[in-house]
Every structure is written in C-alpha cells, then in structure tokens.
C-alpha cells in the first residue's frame, strides 16, 4: 500500500491561491492514476482532478480553468495548484493513488473566506 502525505492547505481569501502537495512513499512513475477529491461539510466526497501516466488529466467542471493537477516523478509528489479560489472551494482535500488498490492521504483543510 502506498503511504500518502498531503500538505499545503490553509486559510485564504477569495481570489487567492494555494498549492497542495501529496508526497508518496513509493516511486510514482509506476502509479497509473493519482488525483484529488474533496469533501465539504454535509456533502459527499467529489472528484476534483485526476492525472494518469503520460500527463492526461481530468477536472470537475466547477474547477476547470482554475485548478491544475501535476505530478513530479523525480520527487514522488503530485500537486494541485488552485487559483481564483472561491468560498465554495472550502473543503477537506484528499489525494489518492491507484497502485494495485486505492490509497488515500489523511486530508488537508482548505478554507476560503474573507
């Protein structure tokens, strides 16, 4: 099982930016799919973005044009760059990796508020 450690969450004003990181305990070169989900209070967990080997990515409609997912194989880390943040982006963000079975990080809180 892959161990995943997220960082980079915090409090930011509307319109601001944050970059989330997810460091893996294994070489991510062989991990086919990595991505991010989020869960807001009282809501179901939803897919935010995912990226596969080769770099192809998908995004939720609500974040297209604002969020960018990437992966750095040399650092065994995936990232989620979040720009133009809105209050509705407030949630706990979880990274995941599909390596045999799905592994999850512990989650990092993102709060967008003035």
């Amino acid at each position: 099982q892959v161990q995943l450690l997220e960082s980079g969450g915090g409090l930011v004003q509307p319109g601001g930016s944050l970059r989330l990181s997810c460091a893996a305990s294994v070489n991510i070169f062989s991990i086919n799919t990595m991505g991010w989900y989020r869960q807001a209070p009282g809501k179901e967990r939803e897919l935010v973005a995912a990226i596969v080997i080769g770099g192809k990515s998908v995004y939720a409609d609500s974040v297209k044009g604002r969020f960018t997912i990437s992966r750095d194989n040399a650092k065994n880390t995936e990232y989620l760059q979040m720009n133009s943040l809105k209050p509705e982006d407030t949630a706990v963000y979880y990274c995941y990796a599909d390596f045999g079975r799905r592994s999850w990080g512990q989650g990092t809180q993102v709060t967008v508020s003035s």
Side-chain angles (χ1 to χ4, degrees), residues 1-6 22-28 30-37 45 47 49-51 78 93-107:
Q1 187 175 2
V2 180
Q3 304 298 317
L4 301 171
L5 182 63
E6 298 129 335
C22 177
S25 61
V26 300
N27 191 328
I28 68 170
S30 58
I31 297 179
N32 183 56
T33 305
M34 301 183 73
W36 296 86
Y37 275 75
R45 190 175 293 193
L47 177 67
I51 186 168
E78 68 161 341
Y93 285 70
Y94 300 89
C95 68
Y96 75 90
D98 291 337
F99 186 64
R101 63 175 183 172
R102 179 160 291 183
S103 298
W104 293 93
Q106 82 286 356

Side-chain angles (χ1 to χ4, degrees), residues 4-73:
L4 301 171
L5 182 63
E6 298 129 335
S7 60
L11 173 64
V12 64
Q13 292 186 343
S17 298
L18 283 174
R19 188 178 77 158
L20 305 183
S21 300
C22 177
S25 61
V26 300
N27 191 328
I28 68 170
F29 180 81
S30 58
I31 297 179
N32 183 56
T33 305
M34 301 183 73
W36 296 86
Y37 275 75
R38 67 185 180 187
Q39 187 165 22
K43 295 187 177 181
E44 294 186 355
R45 190 175 293 193
E46 63 172 350
L47 177 67
V48 176
I51 186 168
V52 300
I53 290 176
K56 184 176 181 180
S57 57
V58 294
Y59 297 91
D61 287 343
S62 58
V63 306
K64 282 181 181 177
R66 300 188 298 121
F67 290 12
T68 302
I69 189 171
S70 61
R71 52 195 290 173
D72 186 332
N73 291 343

